[in-house]
């Protein structure tokens, strides 16, 4: 059974800092991994999708990496801004099941 | 595209009443997912459909919960009878997976916030 863990649970940083959010999963037989952002009271917005054959994906100030063998993914946010404040969730889709299992999220606060 | 559309956005009901949540996936998407989000348990997958057929309902908590997808553009999640512990935000998501478009990216609706008194 796939389990997804995110560390840290909460993070508070000053504006401009580069930061790394971590996601780990127990079963390396995955189809893809997706990072989402959720603002309070809102739905989830997809940030980056990494297929199992890829090592990383980039979008603007965001970079996500995937290491299947170690069961880990990281989301790197460069030059953080107050507008980046949100909860970030990773979701892992296991091979053969097409089930997306979510981590518990990292609540990020960027201070101006 | 209008994205995934859910209704109602908010529902307040009394224990024992029937609740029906609705979802319209993105046109052309062949997978539809129902999730439940609570502070205690995070996002839990309840059930998912492929081409309108339920594939895995192992996350449905009890027989009080049921979900249907009568056609490619509509799905419902029903709770009967509702209980206070069902209070949560219920999300619908859809994705496209085919031989030609191999992405599997999930798109979420804004959610339906359910409060059972």
């Amino acid at each position: 059974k796939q389990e997804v863990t995110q560390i840290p649970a909460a993070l508070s940083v000053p504006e401009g800092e580069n930061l790394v959010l971590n996601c780990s999963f127990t079963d390396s037989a995955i189809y893809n991994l997706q990072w989402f952002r959720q603002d309070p009271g809102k739905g989830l917005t997809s940030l980056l999708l990494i297929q199992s054959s890829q090592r990383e994906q980039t979008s603007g100030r965001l970079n996500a990496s995937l290491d299947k063998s170690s069961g880990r993914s990281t989301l790197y946010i460069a030059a953080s801004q107050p507008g980046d404040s949100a909860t970030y969730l990773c979701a892992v889709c296991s091979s053969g099941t097409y089930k997306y299992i979510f981590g518990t999220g990292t609540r990020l606060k960027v201070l101006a | 595209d209008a994205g995934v559309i859910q209704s109602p956005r908010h529902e307040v009901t009394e224990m024992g009443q029937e609740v029906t949540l609705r979802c319209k996936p993105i046109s052309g998407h062949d997978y539809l997912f129902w999730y439940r989000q609570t502070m205690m348990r995070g996002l839990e997958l309840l059930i998912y459909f492929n081409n309108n057929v339920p594939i895995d309902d192992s996350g449905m908590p009890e027989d009080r919960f049921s979900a249907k997808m009568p056609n490619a553009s509509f799905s419902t999640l029903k709770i009967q009878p509702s209980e206070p512990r069902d209070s949560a935000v219920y999300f619908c998501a859809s994705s496209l997976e085919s031989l030609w478009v191999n992405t599997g990216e999930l798109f979420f609706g804004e959610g339906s916030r359910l409060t059972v008194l």
Side-chain angles (χ1 to χ4, degrees), chain B residues 10-75:
Chain B
H10 302 273
E11 174 96 5
V12 180
T13 190
E14 293 191 346
M15 182 174 64
Q17 296 298 306
E18 177 178 296
V19 173
T20 299
L21 308 178
R22 298 172 178 79
C23 175
K24 176 178 168 55
I26 292 173
S27 177
H29 280 193
D30 53 354
Y31 280 86
L32 183 139
F33 304 80
W34 282 101
Y35 284 89
R36 176 172 70 176
Q37 187 176 41
T38 61
M39 289 291 291
M40 291 293 294
R41 302 172 69 93
L43 265 165
E44 301 174 279
L45 176 63
L46 301 177
I47 185 171
Y48 75 96
F49 296 82
N50 176 222
N51 292 322
N52 314 337
V53 176
I55 301 302
D56 188 331
D57 66 353
S58 59
M60 297 284 262
E62 298 170 37
D63 291 344
R64 298 184 296 106
F65 286 69
S66 63
K68 293 182 179 179
M69 192 165 186
N71 57 63
S73 59
F74 184 66
S75 177

Side-chain angles (χ1 to χ4, degrees), chain A residues 1-2 11 16 34 41-42 44 47 53 65 69-70 76-77 80 97 101 104:
Chain A
K1 178 186 173 187
Q2 180 73 272
L11 184 62
Q34 200 167 349
K42 300 290 187 181
L44 281 73
L47 297 173
S53 58
S65 67
S69 60
S70 65
Y76 176 83
I77 303 177
S80 59
T97 68
I101 304 301
T104 49

Side-chain angles (χ1 to χ4, degrees), chain B residues 51-114:
Chain B
N51 292 322
N52 314 337
V53 176
I55 301 302
D56 188 331
D57 66 353
S58 59
M60 297 284 262
E62 298 170 37
D63 291 344
R64 298 184 296 106
F65 286 69
S66 63
K68 293 182 179 179
M69 192 165 186
N71 57 63
S73 59
F74 184 66
S75 177
T76 59
L77 178 67
K78 188 173 293 187
I79 308 172
Q80 166 65 16
S82 58
E83 296 182 4
R85 59 194 167 118
D86 301 331
S87 297
V89 181
Y90 290 81
F91 286 103
C92 177
S94 69
S95 70
L96 173 63
E97 177 62 27
S98 72
L99 289 175
W100 314 112
V101 183
N102 190 22
T103 65
E105 185 175 0
L106 266 183
F107 294 86
F108 276 78
E110 289 290 300
S112 294
R113 181 174 296 275
L114 173 65

